[in-house]
Amino acid sequence: RIMQRYLLQVEQNLQQAETELGDLQQLKKGSLILCASDTTACYRLPRILQEFNHEFPGVELIVRNATSPRTIGLVRANWVDLGIVTLDKIPSELESHPLFPRTDVVICHPHHEVSDRKEVFLKDLEVYSCILLDGNCATRQILDHMCRDSRVNLKIIMELSSVEVIKRFVRIAAGISIVPEVAVQEEVASGQLVSLKINEYRDHTPVHMGVIFRKDRYLSSAARVFLDRLAQM
């Protein structure tokens, strides 16, 4: 176990050295490992990734998919260069930069009982079947916290790890859900789904998504350029 610990440190140091030497090539080669949630990877990153790949074709860009808590763990363990997470309870050894506010909304079928409303209280939802993200997702953790504060007990009939799957169930009127607003903009615009604001969330401290990395980690030129691109999201 002692040897394994030191060998891991050696391996990470060699990777850092390789990264720094690669910077001498002025972004002609190298790699960047990024980790983000389904929602961020699907709805926020494609354009940035496409532009980065076009501008720096020699840099290998690796995108991993994980929930915010899992991403924080991967960044802390030095397995990824940058992580995009919900900025809540970030460990002191990580540096964080806010990128954009995150907003969660209720979604339902256009013919659902609450579809004609603009806003609901969490208490209003207790009588309806809910299809929610599982407990590993930031959206669900925020919701659980709000429900405890409001003494609300939702009727959960399904817990899923994919927003895309949840949207399909809601579109066939199998239940309602609470998901990131950015994930349903197209369906709401086309009339396939209806979104509603949540009253309790208005008075809650706004939650931001942001980029994180280790304070003691060398940031490659590729990572610094990508940070600049993220700041323009």
Side-chain angles (χ1 to χ4, degrees):
R1 287 196 297 268
I2 291 172
M3 288 301 298
Q4 184 180 33
R5 186 174 74 250
Y6 280 102
L7 286 171
L8 179 60
Q9 291 174 357
V10 169
E11 181 183 12
Q12 291 175 344
N13 287 337
L14 286 172
Q15 289 174 349
Q16 293 282 71
E18 185 178 3
T19 297
E20 293 187 44
L21 289 170
D23 273 355
L24 300 177
Q25 301 297 317
Q26 298 180 341
L27 288 174
K28 293 180 180 178
K29 66 176 184 178
S31 66
L32 173 62
I33 305 176
L34 175 71
C35 192
S37 68
D38 278 350
T39 302
T40 300
C42 186
Y43 301 104
R44 296 280 188 177
L45 290 181
R47 179 184 58 80
I48 295 176
L49 295 175
Q50 183 183 36
E51 292 175 355
F52 188 89
N53 281 328
H54 178 73
E55 191 171 354
F56 309 107
V59 177
E60 182 184 20
L61 189 56
I62 301 169
V63 181
R64 293 180 179 172
N65 176 243
T67 61
S68 287
R70 175 63 177 156
T71 298
I72 291 172
L74 291 172
V75 173
R76 292 182 73 183
N78 258 328
W79 291 116
V80 299
D81 299 301
L82 304 174
I84 301 178
V85 301
T86 300
L87 295 181
D88 182 38
K89 300 177 181 177
I90 303 300
S92 60
E93 67 266 32
L94 302 184
E95 186 167 339
S96 63
H97 296 273
L99 294 175
F100 51 86
R102 57 163 296 146
T103 305
D104 294 332
V105 294
V106 174
I107 57 170
C108 66
H109 188 275
H111 295 152
H112 194 276
E113 289 180 27
V114 298
S115 63
D116 60 342
R117 298 174 61 175
K118 299 295 183 183
E119 183 176 277
V120 293
F121 289 89
L122 289 173
K123 197 72 176 177
D124 299 335
L125 307 180
E126 286 186 316
V127 297
Y128 303 115
S129 297
C130 295
I131 305 168
L132 302 179
L133 287 161
D134 64 43
N136 294 320
C137 301
T139 291
R140 178 61 183 280
Q141 293 174 358
I142 294 170
L143 173 61
D144 287 347
H145 175 73
M146 297 297 291
C147 284
R148 284 193 297 270
D149 286 351
S150 303
R151 297 183 180 180
V152 170
N153 293 304
L154 298 178
K155 184 168 67 175
I156 304 170
I157 62 168
M158 264 186 272
E159 292 181 309
L160 302 168
S161 60
S162 168
V163 173
E164 292 301 312
V165 177
I166 286 176
K167 289 193 294 185
R168 287 186 176 273
F169 276 108
V170 176
R171 282 167 58 184
I172 62 171
I176 64 173
S177 187
I178 295 174
V179 299
E181 186 175 32
V182 67
V184 294
Q185 291 176 340
E186 290 185 9
E187 290 83 359
V188 170
S190 65
Q192 299 175 74
L193 292 173
V194 172
S195 70
L196 303 87
K197 302 293 184 182
I198 304 170
N199 181 275
E200 288 89 343
Y201 281 35
R202 288 192 305 173
D203 299 325
H204 190 259
T205 303
V207 179
H208 279 74
M209 299 295 293
V211 60
I212 60 171
F213 52 89
R214 284 187 64 99
K215 293 178 180 177
D216 61 355
R217 185 182 181 92
Y218 174 80
L219 281 184
S220 66
S221 296
R224 291 194 295 271
V225 170
F226 200 84
L227 278 173
D228 289 339
R229 299 292 191 275
L230 288 175
Q232 301 167 19
M233 291 179 73

